[in-house]
Amino acid sequence: MTAASEPSSRPSRLRRFAGGLDALLDRLAEPRGFAAAAVGYYAVAFLIRTLLLTGTSGDEAQLMLYGQGFAWIYDFGNPPMAGWLAAIVETVIGPSIAVALLIRYGLMAVFLVLMHAAAREVFEDRRTALAVALSAFGFWFYGWEALRNYMDSLVLIAALAACVWLMLRLARAPSLGGYAGLAVAVAVGSLGKFSFPPVLLALVAAAGVSPLLRETLWSRRGLLAIGAGFGLASPPYVYALLHLDRWLAVADDRLVISALAEGPVGGTLDRALLVPDSALNFVLPVLPLFVVLFLVDLVQLRRPAPSGARRRVRRWLGLWLAALWVLFTLTVVAAGMVKLREHYMFVAMPLPLLLFALLPEQPLAHAIGARWRSVAYCGVLAALAAVALVALAGQAVVEAIDCSKCRMTMPWRLYAERLREAGFERGTIVSYDSPYTDAGANLRRFLPDSRVVSDKRPYFVPPPLVLPGSCLVIWNDSRYPQIADQIRSSAVPQIGGPVPDGAVFGRLEGPLVRSGNPAPTLGYAFIEAGAGDCR
C-alpha cells in the first residue's frame, strides 16, 4: 500500500464497521432478538457478580434480609413487593446472593423488553423502537448505578413500563386480557413504591388530551382495572395507615432530615429549583446525546404530518411529565426539602419515548443521514452498556486497592468458617450493620440455619427458627469498636438486656478476596445457650 492510498483505507474500515453495526442493529430491532440480547446482557452481569465479586450492596443485603419471610411492611420507606419477591425466590433456592441478583437483573431485563414493546406500539420503524429501548443505558442511574444499587425503584420502572405499554396497546386493540394485565401492573407498581400511585394517576389524568386514550382509560373497564390494581395493593397501605406516626417519621427522615443540601437553600424559589436540577442530573448523558445527534431533525421546517400514535404520545407523555414537574415542586416546597435525590427521578424513564415521538415521522428508516445518526446513537449507548459491565468487573480490583467501602470483596465465607470454629452453627444473628458492612445478611449465606435481625431494618423481625440455637451479636469492629462496650452496658432489644457476662467476645480477621490487603475486622459476642429472643 502506498502512502497516498493509506489514508483512504481508514474511512473504508470505518464504513465497514458502521455497516456491520447497522446490520447488527437491524437484527436487534426484532422483538425476539432484542429480548435475547437484554437477557444475555444481564446474564453476563449476573456472572460477574457471582464469580468475581463476593459481597452485596446495601440494597441487595436488605433484600436478602427480607427473604427470611413475608411482611405487610418491611420498611416504612417502601411497600413490600421487593421483599415478597425475595421471600419467594429464597423459598426456591435458599439464602444466597443469587436471590438479590436474580431479582435485580430480572427486573432490569423486563424493563428493557417492556419499553421496547411500548415503543413498537408507537413507531412502525423498528429501528426507532430499538433506539428508544437502548436509551435506558444513557441514564447514569440505570445504566451504571442500578447494576449495584436500588431495588424498589426497579420494581417501579418495570411496572411503569408495563402500564405505558398496556395503555398504548389497549388504545389500539382493547381486550379483556389487556385490562387484566393493566390491573396487575398497577398493583405491582403500587406495591413497589409509595410514589407510584400519584405518578400513575397523573398518567391517567394526562390521557384526557387524547380522545382514544381517554376512551380507553376513562371508560368503565379502564377505571375498573386501575381501581382493581389499587385494591389488590391496598393491604400494605392500610397497615401503614394504622401505623401513621411511624410512616410519617420515616418519610420525614428520608425526605428532609437525612437529605443534606450540598449548598445553601433559602426560600421557595431555591426549593423549586431543586426539581430541574435533580431531573437534569438524572437524564445525563442521554438527553444531550439525543439533542446533539438529532437536533437537525428536530429543527426541520418541512415536517410530514405525524402518525396518530406519535401525536398521541407527544401530547400524553408531554402533559404527564409537566404534571410530574408540578407535583414534585409542590412536594419539595410543602415538605421543606433541601435536597431532592436523583433516584427519585426514576419515574422519568419513559422520557425517550417522548423524545423520539418529537422527531419527524420515521426519520431513522427513510433518511440516509438520520439512519447513520441512529447508528451512532445506538452505538454510543451500546458502548456505554459494555463499559458498565467492564467497570462492574473492575470493582474487584478497585475495592482490593481502596477499601473505603470494600463491601463487594469481603471474605464472608472465611468469616462464617471462623464463627463455626468458635461454636456458632445455628441460631439468631443480631447484626449492627454499618452503612458499608451488612454482616448478618451476608453471613447467613454460609450459615443457612440462622436468622438475622438488623438494626438498619428494625421494623422487620423474621419468624423464629423451628429449632432454636445460639445467639450471636456482630458488628464492624474496625469502624465502630465502641459497640463492644455498648452492648455490655446497654440493652440489646432481642436479648432484653445487655449481653450476659458469660458471652464470649472475639474478632474476625482476614484478607479481602483476591487480595492480600486486610478486610475490615468484625467483632462478635457469642452466647452459646442463647438469650431472650436471640436463639
Side-chain angles (χ1 to χ4, degrees):
M1 180 181 293
T2 65
S5 64
E6 184 176 355
S8 66
S9 68
R10 293 174 182 171
S12 177
R13 287 195 296 268
L14 182 60
R15 282 194 296 270
R16 286 198 299 270
F17 173 77
L21 180 59
D22 185 52
L24 174 61
L25 293 177
D26 278 337
R27 288 194 290 270
L28 287 178
E30 296 299 319
R32 290 184 180 179
F34 181 79
V39 172
Y41 179 84
Y42 289 111
V44 173
F46 180 89
L47 291 175
I48 290 173
R49 291 294 308 276
T50 54
L51 298 178
L52 297 182
L53 300 168
T54 59
T56 64
S57 67
D59 291 314
E60 290 160 353
Q62 168 187 299
L63 213 60
M64 290 159 57
L65 183 73
Y66 296 165
Q68 298 176 94
F70 292 92
W72 287 123
I73 288 289
Y74 293 91
D75 168 12
F76 281 87
N78 291 295
M81 177 52 72
W84 288 355
L85 292 174
I88 293 169
V89 175
E90 181 171 312
T91 300
V92 177
I93 67 174
S96 166
I97 190 175
V99 170
L101 298 183
L102 286 171
I103 296 171
R104 172 182 298 287
Y105 297 134
L107 288 170
M108 296 182 79
V110 165
F111 169 77
L112 288 182
V113 171
L114 289 172
M115 281 305 300
H116 190 233
R120 295 200 312 273
E121 291 292 330
V122 181
F123 308 106
E124 293 183 4
D125 173 30
R126 290 189 172 179
R127 175 65 66 87
T128 306
L130 175 66
V132 169
L134 288 179
S135 296
F137 292 107
F139 292 89
W140 168 266
F141 284 87
Y142 176 92
W144 167 242
E145 283 294 331
L147 288 175
R148 307 163 301 151
N149 299 312
Y150 309 121
M151 196 64 73
D152 302 287
S153 295
L154 299 182
V155 178
L156 180 146
I157 63 171
L160 184 58
C163 287
V164 171
W165 168 55
L166 287 166
M167 289 174 178
L168 290 170
R169 184 178 179 84
L170 285 167
R172 176 178 59 84
S175 67
L176 184 60
Y179 283 109
L182 180 60
V184 172
V186 170
V188 170
S190 300
L191 289 168
K193 292 286 282 187
F194 286 127
S195 59
F196 185 86
V199 168
L200 181 82
L201 291 175
L203 191 64
V204 174
V209 298
S210 165
L212 194 55
L213 281 170
R214 184 171 64 245
E215 180 182 346
T216 300
L217 299 178
W218 293 12
S219 67
R220 182 186 302 175
R221 288 194 295 179
L223 295 177
L224 181 62
I226 294 167
F230 286 143
L232 289 171
S234 62
Y237 286 77
V238 172
Y239 183 91
L241 287 171
L242 293 174
H243 301 80
L244 185 59
D245 291 346
R246 190 177 298 173
W247 191 12
L248 293 177
V250 171
D252 184 57
D253 178 67
R254 296 193 179 182
L255 295 177
V256 181
I257 298 174
S258 298
L260 302 178
E262 298 175 357
V265 176
T268 300
L269 179 60
D270 285 345
R271 288 190 169 88
L273 291 175
L274 293 174
V275 177
D277 180 66
S278 180
L280 182 60
N281 288 334
F282 184 81
V283 297
L284 294 175
V286 67
L287 183 58
L289 175 65
F290 176 86
V291 171
V292 167
L293 287 175
F294 296 110
L295 180 61
V296 65
D297 301 296
L298 288 168
V299 299
Q300 279 187 16
L301 297 178
R302 294 184 177 180
R303 300 162 63 96
S307 65
R310 192 181 289 247
R311 186 185 298 111
R312 188 180 309 128
V313 166
R314 289 178 183 177
R315 295 174 178 176
W316 179 42
L317 294 188
L319 179 59
W320 174 62
L321 289 174
L324 288 186
W325 188 303
V326 173
L327 182 62
F328 270 95
T329 301
L330 291 176
T331 301
V332 168
V333 172
M337 297 170 62
V338 296
K339 180 178 176 60
L340 182 62
R341 294 187 173 101
E342 285 82 358
H343 70 269
Y344 294 152
M345 293 294 171
F346 266 108
V347 295
M349 287 299 291
L351 174 65
L353 199 59
L354 172 62
L355 294 178
F356 279 91
L358 294 174
L359 295 179
E361 185 67 27
Q362 297 184 344
L364 307 189
H366 297 298
I368 297 299
R371 185 177 184 89
W372 289 114
R373 286 193 291 277
S374 77
V375 171
Y377 181 82
C378 293
V380 170
L381 293 170
L384 290 175
V387 168
L389 289 183
V390 173
L392 184 65
Q395 286 289 107
V397 177
V398 171
E399 294 200 359
I401 298 172
D402 175 21
C403 190
S404 59
K405 296 182 180 179
C406 47
R407 64 193 329 162
M408 291 193 178
T409 54
M410 289 285 287
W412 296 115
R413 184 186 297 274
L414 174 63
Y415 284 174
E417 290 173 356
R418 299 275 171 82
L419 289 172
R420 283 196 182 94
E421 293 170 1
F424 182 82
E425 184 76 33
R426 164 190 295 276
T428 295
I429 300 174
V430 177
S431 188
Y432 282 77
D433 289 326
S434 70
Y436 306 125
T437 306
D438 297 299
N442 278 284
L443 287 170
R444 184 170 171 265
R445 294 156 51 193
F446 308 104
L447 297 166
D449 293 326
S450 61
R451 65 191 280 268
V452 175
V453 180
S454 171
D455 68 326
K456 278 177 70 174
R457 307 296 172 188
Y459 302 121
F460 173 62
V461 179
L465 297 172
V466 176
L467 296 176
S470 305
C471 175
L472 182 77
V473 183
I474 197 159
W475 63 92
N476 185 328
D477 201 59
S478 294
R479 287 179 178 266
Y480 307 102
Q482 69 274 16
I483 291 180
D485 293 330
Q486 175 185 324
I487 62 176
R488 284 187 173 102
S489 58
S490 302
V492 177
Q494 292 73 26
I495 294 177
V499 170
D501 294 336
V504 177
F505 282 76
R507 288 160 55 90
L508 302 174
E509 298 177 341
L512 295 170
V513 175
R514 298 184 182 88
S515 168
N517 296 331
T521 299
L522 301 185
Y524 70 85
F526 175 50
I527 309 165
E528 186 172 7
D533 294 330
C534 182
R535 59 182 71 245

